[in-house]
Amino acid sequence: MNAPVTTTGVRTEPRRTGERRRPSRGAAGAFLRGTAGAAVLTLAFEAFARLELVDARLLPPATVILPEALRLLTEPAFLVEVWATLVAVLGGVAVAAAIAVPLGVLIGSYRLAALGLTPIIDSLRSVPGIAIIPLLVLVMGQGLQMKVTIVAFVALWPLLFNTVYGVRSVDPVALETARSFRVPLLRTWWRVVLPSALPLMLTGLRLALATGLTVGIAAEIAVGTQDGIGYFILRPSYAGFRADTVFAAVTLAGVLGYVLNWVTVAGAARLVAWDGKGPS
């Protein structure tokens, strides 16, 4: 049997039965590049701190911060605070998703709904999340309910707009086919619209988690809550400033954000493997 000819005119050998594709090196390469970038940044920070242009008590070097970060990872008290922040962030993003997905499908599907709701949405999304914290504190106090609400408010917009754009990018041929076969509206949304919009919705989820974590920790610091990573960062200023502990907690907050992003990208790669574009 002759080998198949490609469009470039070069013959290629047919794939043998049972032959496995070689694993892609893209993920490994990205990890190595990220590790190298983090190492360069750490060395630059170490060199700057060693110049002592800033008081070492306020800006400790990386060789002091990293061991403190490792110590915090084994400290149950710090892990409890991480869990408190994580619960608030995940709860807020879940609330935002419950609102954004059906609302985004509605706006993306019907022009009249878009015309009626767009002015309200544009007005609300122009309000900085931090600006409504005092109002939330007055109404809800300083506990978990306030943190979930502020995270839900800031996470709503990337989820909503990515859902709208995803719905509007659905192949019209698929929709017309569903209509021609008289598929019920709800089933069309579930079987045609949502799967097509899922890649952009997952991108919105990734952005929502990153924004929610940032604003959640900022709210904990601004309000002075009694739990969370923000509380752990703020606490050293009450009884003897410990810059190494503060920088270590901030570093671990960044690591937590990286882990959330990695989990989202890995999950998206599995859920929308058919998309062919990979997680964005």
Side-chain angles (χ1 to χ4, degrees):
M1 181 182 297
N2 295 330
V5 181
T6 65
T7 55
T8 59
V10 179
R11 292 182 180 271
T12 58
E13 293 296 329
R15 185 176 297 277
R16 298 172 183 173
T17 304
E19 183 179 352
R20 297 181 179 178
R21 294 180 178 269
R22 294 182 179 179
S24 174
R25 298 180 181 178
F31 177 78
L32 291 176
R33 289 192 296 270
T35 303
V40 171
L41 181 62
T42 301
L43 291 175
F45 185 89
E46 176 76 14
F48 180 79
R50 291 296 180 184
L51 292 175
E52 296 187 357
L53 299 176
V54 180
D55 191 339
R57 291 173 297 180
L58 301 178
L59 187 66
T63 50
V64 175
I65 296 173
L66 294 181
E68 178 66 10
L70 293 176
R71 186 190 69 79
L72 290 181
L73 285 176
T74 62
E75 183 177 321
F78 177 73
L79 297 180
V80 169
E81 308 303 345
V82 172
W83 176 250
T85 296
L86 195 58
V87 167
V89 171
L90 295 180
V93 172
V95 171
I99 299 172
V101 172
L103 187 60
V105 171
L106 180 66
I107 294 174
S109 301
Y110 298 102
R111 180 177 177 81
L112 185 62
L115 292 175
L117 294 175
T118 296
I120 301 174
I121 292 174
D122 287 342
S123 299
L124 289 176
R125 74 185 182 97
S126 300
V127 178
I130 299 297
I132 66 173
I133 289 180
L135 176 62
L136 295 179
V137 171
L138 290 175
V139 176
M140 302 177 179
Q142 299 176 330
L144 178 63
Q145 187 177 4
M146 181 276 296
K147 293 194 289 184
V148 169
T149 303
I150 187 63
V151 170
F153 179 79
V154 299
L156 176 67
W157 312 119
L159 281 166
L160 176 62
F161 290 119
N162 276 274
T163 301
V164 171
Y165 297 148
V167 169
R168 290 177 178 174
S169 66
V170 175
D171 186 0
V173 175
L175 292 176
E176 290 299 328
T177 301
R179 291 192 186 100
S180 65
F181 282 96
R182 296 184 179 180
V183 178
L185 180 61
L186 291 179
R187 191 174 181 183
T188 299
W189 281 353
W190 181 253
R191 301 297 297 271
V192 178
V193 175
L194 286 180
S196 298
L198 189 57
L200 277 177
M201 291 167 62
L202 290 173
T203 299
L205 176 62
R206 180 170 62 86
L207 298 174
L209 284 170
T211 306
L213 179 63
T214 302
V215 173
I217 295 176
E220 292 170 348
I221 296 175
V223 174
T225 58
Q226 298 302 310
D227 59 5
I229 298 176
Y231 162 73
F232 194 90
I233 292 172
L234 190 63
R235 188 175 61 180
S237 64
Y238 293 149
F241 183 67
R242 288 283 308 275
D244 57 340
T245 302
V246 171
F247 276 95
V250 171
T251 300
L252 292 177
V255 172
L256 178 60
Y258 173 81
V259 171
L260 289 176
N261 182 78
W262 179 83
V263 170
T264 307
V265 171
R270 288 181 174 273
L271 288 174
V272 295
W274 45 264
D275 185 51
K277 300 176 182 178
S280 58

